[in-house]
Amino acid sequence: MRRKLVVGNWKMNGSLAANAALLDALKAGLGQHAADSAVCAPAPYLAQCQAALGGTPLAWGAQDVSAHASGAFTGEVGAAMLADFGCSYVIVGHSERRAMHAESSELVAKKTVAALAAGLTPIVCVGETLAERDAGQTFAVVGEQLGTVLGLLSDADAARLVLAYEPVWAIGTGQTATPAMAQEVHAQLRAQLEQKSAGKVQILYGGSMKPDNARELMAQADIDGGLIGGAALKAVDFLAIIAAAG
Ligand code: 13P
């Protein structure tokens, strides 16, 4: 039985004051849930997360990482720096970075390797656009995105990933993949992981997951949790999704 994992992706939202209020409410409301949980904050707020969340069951992480270890890479943040601030997780290959920062699957794979080398758990995001889904290319697209990452990893390192299926057309749109649609893709991703002896990797669903649809999505055989955008910014909603996960 794989443990459930619920991760909030704050994206480029928050402030010291707003984060403090959100983290206080999350800590107060977290209780004894069976699911693991984490928030992925903008890099400047990782120290705040470390101070607020150290010693609590809520883990924290970043939203991106450099493929390089250190050096002349102005503006980039290295995986060891994230580890210095107690991060457990880092999101890599989010569709917003693939689309707006032209991140290729090859770059996402290198970032995954860099994160693993620093002892972080990469949350590798894959997902198709609406045009790709309509053209019947969903499985080819996510298969290539995952395959390129797995191609750089040993079986042992592949087993250390978290994977997130985020259909691009469902992100921030209020349009969710039906549980059956998501499960179909998750099952294919699971089969691909099994070829690397990594079938136990948690596969999260992301894309307009809310308290009212979370339970049904996470009840699917291969959906092991959620990667939550908008609903992670409201403590009551994020806590409800964690509760729905078990
Ligand atoms: P929304 O939950 O706002 O659709 O965002 C999903 C997402 O992109 C999480 O990484």
Side-chain angles (χ1 to χ4, degrees), residues 54-156:
T56 78
L58 186 60
W60 62 96
Q63 300 171 10
D64 184 32
V65 66
S66 177
H68 306 281
S70 65
F73 302 102
T74 301
E76 295 208 28
V77 177
M81 299 172 183
L82 302 180
D84 256 353
F85 286 91
C87 289
S88 299
Y89 296 98
V90 60
I91 296 169
V92 292
H94 192 280
S95 62
E96 287 153 16
R97 295 210 59 86
R98 291 182 193 258
M100 296 181 223
H101 301 269
E103 290 197 9
S104 64
S105 294
E106 287 71 23
L107 180 60
V108 173
K110 287 180 186 156
K111 290 183 171 197
T112 303
V113 169
L116 287 167
L120 304 174
T121 298
I123 301 174
V124 177
C125 299
V126 301
E128 82 288 2
T129 63
L130 189 56
E132 289 163 343
R133 175 164 280 269
D134 288 346
Q137 294 170 347
T138 298
F139 293 124
V141 168
V142 300
E144 180 275 331
Q145 290 171 335
L146 176 57
T148 304
V149 172
L150 293 180
L152 286 194
L153 303 183
S154 66
D155 287 10

Side-chain angles (χ1 to χ4, degrees), residues 105-239:
S105 294
E106 287 71 23
L107 180 60
V108 173
K110 287 180 186 156
K111 290 183 171 197
T112 303
V113 169
L116 287 167
L120 304 174
T121 298
I123 301 174
V124 177
C125 299
V126 301
E128 82 288 2
T129 63
L130 189 56
E132 289 163 343
R133 175 164 280 269
D134 288 346
Q137 294 170 347
T138 298
F139 293 124
V141 168
V142 300
E144 180 275 331
Q145 290 171 335
L146 176 57
T148 304
V149 172
L150 293 180
L152 286 194
L153 303 183
S154 66
D155 287 10
D157 277 347
R160 293 170 55 204
L161 301 179
V162 168
L163 187 60
Y165 170 54
E166 296 206 315
V168 177
W169 47 271
I171 294 176
T173 59
Q175 201 185 340
T176 322
T178 64
M181 280 162 85
Q183 167 57 28
E184 189 185 23
V185 179
H186 281 233
Q188 164 177 302
L189 295 170
R190 177 87 55 213
Q192 201 172 347
L193 287 164
E194 276 165 359
Q195 289 168 16
K196 288 285 275 188
S197 307
K200 291 203 173 71
V201 159
Q202 292 159 310
I203 310 179
L204 315 183
Y205 169 79
S208 299
M209 193 186 268
K210 309 281 180 210
D212 62 0
N213 60 23
R215 193 175 297 278
E216 202 187 349
L217 282 160
M218 291 190 280
Q220 303 301 307
D222 291 296
I223 302 186
D224 305 316
L227 184 54
I228 321 298
L233 298 173
K234 286 193 211 141
V236 60
D237 286 357
F238 192 57
L239 289 167

